[in-house]
Amino acid sequence: LMEVSSNGWPASKDPKEIDIQSFPIEGTNIKIRCNATCGPILAAFASEFHKLVEPISGGALDDWGYAYRPVRGGTKLSNHSSGSAIDLNASKHPLGKENTFKPEQVAVIRQLCSKYNLRWGGEYKNRKDEMHFEITSSPNEVKMLVQQLQLKGNK
């Protein structure tokens, strides 16, 4: 039986099993590892975040996608385990910290999350995670959004 992350996407310790690929973030020299289906959405979002919210500063431990692990402090698999979530500028926006973005940045983040149908960790009710952005739609809904936005995959 295939494991799933908390958003219902297939998850695996083996990145090949769930088609994890490297997606370049346009405007940066950074690549993020994501599921092939949602990678175009997450990479396009990250590119606009870089241009409109704040530059993605880079560094291996600052920006990432796929990572097989449970939700921090929990038992359910994180959406990173399915390659359907990314963290950006983690050192500037540490887990649990609030108001790490200015109000005008928050407004742009909300617009971008709406455009790409993402959930922002800064909107979590309990522990805020302002570096974190995740897919909430099904793989088929994501495929339709990729087509609507005319995003290119890696293939």
Side-chain angles (χ1 to χ4, degrees):
L1 194 69
M2 176 64 84
E3 291 184 286
V4 294
S5 58
S6 56
N7 61 1
W9 281 62
S12 176
K13 282 187 182 90
D14 176 4
K16 286 189 205 73
E17 188 179 11
I18 54 170
D19 203 5
I20 298 297
Q21 297 183 10
S22 244
F23 288 84
I25 300 173
E26 203 179 303
T28 75
N29 58 2
I30 297 162
K31 290 182 173 183
I32 45 169
R33 293 171 72 212
C34 301
N35 173 287
T37 300
C38 60
I41 295 281
L42 293 168
F45 168 84
S47 176
E48 287 206 60
F49 177 97
H50 173 75
K51 278 189 276 230
L52 304 172
V53 178
E54 70 183 12
I56 296 172
S57 44
L61 298 176
D62 214 32
D63 311 288
W64 59 83
Y66 172 76
Y68 183 84
R69 61 176 175 76
V71 172
R72 300 262 182 240
T75 52
K76 270 191 172 166
L77 281 180
S78 159
N79 292 331
H80 290 284
S81 299
S82 58
S84 63
I86 56 173
D87 290 346
L88 300 175
N89 292 347
S91 50
K92 282 188 193 163
H93 310 289
L95 179 62
K97 276 268 172 72
E98 294 187 42
N99 304 311
T100 62
F101 290 100
K102 298 184 189 94
E104 57 272 21
Q105 291 174 305
V106 170
V108 176
I109 287 170
R110 287 186 175 134
Q111 285 174 320
L112 291 176
C113 284
S114 172
K115 173 179 178 177
Y116 291 105
N117 207 3
L118 299 177
R119 183 169 176 217
W120 175 40
E123 308 279 14
Y124 287 174
K125 299 249 181 319
N126 300 322
R127 181 182 61 183
K128 304 287 185 209
D129 192 2
E130 296 191 350
M131 70 176 102
H132 180 86
F133 304 91
E134 64 192 20
I135 297 280
T136 56
S137 326
S138 71
N140 280 338
E141 290 168 324
V142 168
K143 283 177 189 159
M144 289 187 332
L145 185 59
V146 167
Q147 285 178 330
Q148 280 168 4
L149 296 172
Q150 300 181 326
L151 302 173
K152 300 221 182 322
N154 272 352
K155 296 186 161 92

